[in-house]
Amino acid sequence: MDFYYAFPETGAVQIRTLSGSFDAADVRPPEGAVEITPTEYATASAAMTVQRELRRAAMFAEHAASKLADYTALVALGLPVATALRMSGHVPEEPDLPDLPGLPLVDGGP
């Protein structure tokens, strides 16, 4: 049997699954928790997932912007584009790079 809890102080939710023989009326929420419905649990859990994914996307965007800034600074210092890309870790969405020896830039091989 599943029991659903929310922790108002932290905003966390929890599902507790108990098996075996017991009286459901004797099951008490963990300290600091209140019992909620399965729908409330699913809604809160989904909201947390959305918030986590938004924070993750923001983190990746910030990291990409930092790499682009490093790349731009390296090119401004006069480093070759390929070297600046390698040093900064920046990966352009659509590379507009000069032809590099031994590296085909089109499908079909060298």
Side-chain angles (χ1 to χ4, degrees):
M1 178 174 224
D2 292 334
F3 297 88
Y4 302 87
Y5 303 106
F7 293 82
E9 282 191 29
T10 63
V13 293
Q14 177 187 66
I15 183 172
R16 181 187 285 175
T17 302
L18 300 177
S19 59
S21 63
F22 60 90
D23 185 357
D26 291 336
V27 177
R28 301 282 180 247
E31 187 175 329
V34 295
E35 193 165 355
I36 58 175
T37 67
T39 301
E40 290 170 323
Y41 172 83
T43 300
S45 182
M48 284 187 242
T49 298
V50 168
Q51 288 300 315
R52 181 178 59 247
E53 290 304 316
L54 288 173
R55 285 191 307 271
R56 186 172 183 253
M59 179 188 70
F60 280 114
E62 184 178 321
H63 192 65
S66 176
K67 287 180 177 184
L68 176 59
D70 290 346
Y71 164 75
T72 303
L74 290 169
V75 169
L77 288 173
L79 270 68
V81 169
T83 302
L85 286 170
R86 190 171 48 254
M87 289 178 69
S88 66
H90 173 64
V91 178
E93 288 184 28
E94 292 188 28
D96 185 18
L97 304 175
D99 290 338
L100 299 175
L103 298 176
L105 294 178
V106 295
D107 291 341

